[in-house]
Amino acid sequence: MEAVKHIHEDTVIISASKGIEQERLLTVSAIINEITAARGRSSQDRVFAREVIDKRPTAVTLAAKNQDIALLLQEVFNTDYFRVYTHSDVLGVELGGGFEKRYRHSLRICDGMGLGHSARAALITRGLSEITRLGESMGADKRTFSGLSGLGDLVLTCTGPLSRNYSVGVKLGQGQKLSGILSATKSIAEGVATASSAYGLSIKMGVEMPIVEQVYEVIYKEKNPADAVSTLLSRTLRSEF
Amino acid sequence: MEAVKHIHEDTVIISASKGIEQERLLTVSAIINEITAARGRSSQDRVFAREVIDKRPTAVTLAAKNQDIALLLQEVFNTDYFRVYTHSDVLGVELGGGFEKRYRHSLRICDGMGLGHSARAALITRGLSEITRLGESMGADKRTFSGLSGLGDLVLTCTGPLSRNYSVGVKLGQGQKLSGILSATKSIAEGVATASSAYGLSIKMGVEMPIVEQVYEVIYKEKNPADAVSTLLSRTLRSEF
């Protein structure tokens, strides 16, 4: 909030943040727009979402509604190890970038249950399908989710090792309840709130997100993870798209 | 070929095969159609491509042009651990199912060069983008590639460990030449032909596939892998989609 007074008409604001605000379910660019607009400085065309990974060869998406600014920043940030692609779908890049985070619980629960790589692959693919439906309902471009922000992040998660034994999700998958896990470890419920905001968005937008819903049930309603898997597998048969 | 005489008008043919024929660059369903049509038994509406993974909870795509048959087989194969989605895009499912195979070389070369997970994620995401362009140009539905056959397979690859040291691709990434690798190990060039058929398809269809092209250059033209990476990173800047 303090930074607002330093923002001029031609200031370019770059957001590299993921995640959704808990209470009102807003993305970071929406919050930036709200704050700058309240000061009479609309940043509608100056907000960016950018995926930064690390310094080895990589590719990122830089989204801006104003394509002149996107092209300018592409020139500024692109190097011989950091390839920058422009995109106009700010909302999609923001939502897609947080995809991995929102489905991390389901992956960990899956790991904790010992269901293996195929179940993981199915969870992730159908998860991307859910998030794409949600994004479309919010006005994002569905192609965005199969790009670097979305699929790219997802692949980064998948290339990591199976989840560590001490994570909350793995313990849930092993049959422990959230209350017991939290009191035993004194840890904060890392990412637990994320599961709640994803569920909140699916309700708000009226989009069917069965994985998000089951994760919510396991975390907040103490549903047995095996029953959650059964629920997912016994849904009405349908076509893939 | 011998099986053809046992195929009746109402015989359902299920193909679980991936890959493209070397010489004429045909998919398996195209070959099946060709053989059955030559015997006066068109199987145009009876060919399937199906992704089979293993017995733990998983989801697969079953594609058939004839949706009545797709729904019948969905009922037949769906179990409480094996969730079957129907799809009408046989070509896309065939091409998508082979995606992982076609890009395995690039991943191994990347591993052999020690470029890390981010480069891998970028390769895979941009690779999926290439394969989607190719599939569209051949008449497949682009959505198919972000589904279980395509992305799903890809995730399965990614969740595996980094490539083993003795694979051809890793040795290429470490700077060895194909001729030397093959003579030293007496191994057959596992999947090397796949790189050639993918390149052949990109030329035939006039689709830009920079990763496929660079892998082809490294394998068949003894291009230095570091130069191939530079070529990929120094391409004209563009938008993501």
Side-chain angles (χ1 to χ4, degrees):
Chain A
M1 298 295 269
E2 283 307 304
V4 178
K5 58 177 176 277
H6 303 294
I7 298 171
H8 303 286
E9 280 302 315
D10 58 352
T11 303
V12 171
I13 303 172
I14 300 179
S15 159
S17 304
K18 301 173 186 178
I20 306 282
E21 186 203 35
Q22 278 304 298
E23 203 176 321
R24 295 174 304 156
L25 306 174
L26 295 178
T27 62
V28 175
S29 72
I31 295 167
I32 294 175
N33 282 340
E34 190 181 68
I35 294 169
T36 53
R39 299 289 186 113
R41 288 168 179 161
S42 166
S43 63
Q44 193 65 25
D45 290 326
R46 299 189 258 132
V47 177
F48 298 80
R50 194 164 61 98
E51 285 307 304
V52 183
I53 311 181
D54 73 14
K55 286 174 189 165
R56 287 189 284 186
T58 193
V60 298
T61 304
L62 190 152
K65 284 180 187 160
N66 180 332
Q67 286 308 285
D68 289 340
I69 292 181
L71 291 169
L72 171 71
L73 291 178
Q74 183 180 46
E75 288 287 347
V76 168
F77 286 111
N78 194 83
T79 73
D80 55 3
Y81 61 81
F82 191 77
R83 186 163 169 79
V84 177
Y85 291 92
T86 58
H87 198 2
S88 56
D89 181 17
V90 175
L91 175 63
V93 168
E94 283 188 297
L95 290 174
F99 170 82
E100 176 274 319
K101 200 169 157 190
R102 274 186 273 285
Y103 284 86
R104 201 181 293 161
H105 284 300
S106 67
L107 294 179
R108 287 182 175 164
I109 293 171
C110 177
D111 291 349
M113 295 178 74
L115 297 181
H117 290 302
S118 297
R120 213 172 202 253
L123 263 182
I124 288 169
T125 307
R126 296 305 303 170
L128 189 63
S129 169
E130 285 186 12
I131 266 290
T132 305
R133 280 202 298 275
L134 176 70
E136 256 193 300
S137 79
M138 294 171 72
D141 179 347
K142 65 182 171 190
R143 293 177 307 172
T144 305
F145 301 94
S146 63
L148 294 162
S149 170
L151 174 59
D153 264 20
L154 166 64
V155 169
L156 264 183
T157 310
C158 300
T159 51
L162 290 182
S163 308
R164 297 161 299 185
N165 283 330
Y166 50 81
S167 76
V168 172
V170 169
K171 288 178 179 167
L172 286 168
Q174 290 166 342
Q176 298 184 45
K177 304 295 178 201
L178 184 65
S179 52
I181 298 168
L182 296 182
S183 65
T185 62
K186 290 174 191 159
S187 71
I188 53 165
E190 176 216 340
V192 165
T194 312
S196 157
S197 72
Y199 182 66
L201 274 178
S202 80
I203 299 294
K204 181 181 169 193
M205 303 306 299
V207 174
E208 206 177 38
M209 299 181 80
I211 298 171
V212 160
E213 186 182 345
Q214 291 308 311
V215 169
Y216 180 86
E217 294 276 330
V218 168
I219 294 179
Y220 293 102
K221 307 285 184 186
E222 306 211 330
K223 182 169 184 172
N224 185 319
D227 293 340
V229 171
S230 294
T231 303
L232 287 174
L233 287 165
S234 64
R235 295 175 63 240
T236 310
L237 296 180
R238 45 161 289 174
S239 67
E240 187 169 15
F241 294 100
Chain B
M1 299 293 270
E2 283 305 304
V4 178
K5 59 176 175 275
H6 303 295
I7 299 171
H8 302 285
E9 280 303 315
D10 58 352
T11 303
V12 172
I13 303 173
I14 301 180
S15 160
S17 304
K18 300 172 186 179
I20 306 281
E21 186 203 37
Q22 278 303 297
E23 204 175 319
R24 296 173 303 158
L25 306 173
L26 297 177
T27 62
V28 175
S29 71
I31 295 168
I32 294 175
N33 282 340
E34 191 181 67
I35 293 170
T36 52
R39 299 289 186 113
R41 287 165 180 163
S42 166
S43 64
Q44 195 64 26
D45 289 328
R46 297 189 258 134
V47 177
F48 298 82
R50 192 164 63 100
E51 287 305 305
V52 183
I53 312 179
D54 72 13
K55 288 175 187 167
R56 286 189 283 187
T58 192
V60 298
T61 304
L62 190 152
K65 284 179 186 160
N66 179 332
Q67 287 306 287
D68 289 339
I69 292 181
L71 293 169
L72 170 70
L73 290 179
Q74 184 180 45
E75 288 287 346
V76 169
F77 286 111
N78 195 82
T79 72
D80 54 2
Y81 60 81
F82 191 76
R83 186 164 168 82
V84 177
Y85 291 91
T86 57
H87 199 1
S88 57
D89 181 16
V90 175
L91 176 64
V93 167
E94 283 188 296
L95 290 173
F99 170 82
E100 176 274 319
K101 201 169 157 189
R102 276 185 271 283
Y103 284 85
R104 200 181 294 161
H105 284 301
S106 67
L107 293 179
R108 287 183 176 164
I109 293 171
C110 176
D111 290 349
M113 295 177 74
L115 297 181
H117 289 301
S118 296
R120 213 173 202 253
L123 263 182
I124 288 171
T125 308
R126 296 305 303 170
L128 190 63
S129 169
E130 287 187 10
I131 265 288
T132 304
R133 280 202 299 276
L134 176 70
E136 255 192 301
S137 79
M138 294 171 73
D141 179 347
K142 65 183 172 192
R143 292 178 308 172
T144 305
F145 301 96
S146 64
L148 295 164
S149 171
L151 173 60
D153 263 21
L154 165 65
V155 169
L156 263 184
T157 310
C158 301
T159 50
L162 290 184
S163 308
R164 296 161 299 183
N165 282 330
Y166 50 82
S167 77
V168 173
V170 169
K171 287 178 179 167
L172 286 168
Q174 290 166 345
Q176 298 184 44
K177 304 297 179 199
L178 184 66
S179 52
I181 298 167
L182 296 183
S183 65
T185 61
K186 292 176 191 160
S187 70
I188 53 163
E190 177 216 339
V192 164
T194 312
S196 158
S197 71
Y199 182 65
L201 275 178
S202 81
I203 299 294
K204 181 182 168 190
M205 303 307 299
V207 174
E208 207 176 38
M209 300 181 78
I211 298 171
V212 160
E213 186 182 343
Q214 292 308 310
V215 168
Y216 180 85
E217 294 275 332
V218 168
I219 293 179
Y220 292 102
K221 307 285 185 189
E222 306 210 330
K223 183 168 183 172
N224 185 320
D227 293 340
V229 171
S230 295
T231 302
L232 286 175
L233 287 165
S234 63
R235 296 175 63 238
T236 311
L237 295 180
R238 44 161 289 175
S239 66
E240 188 171 16
F241 294 101

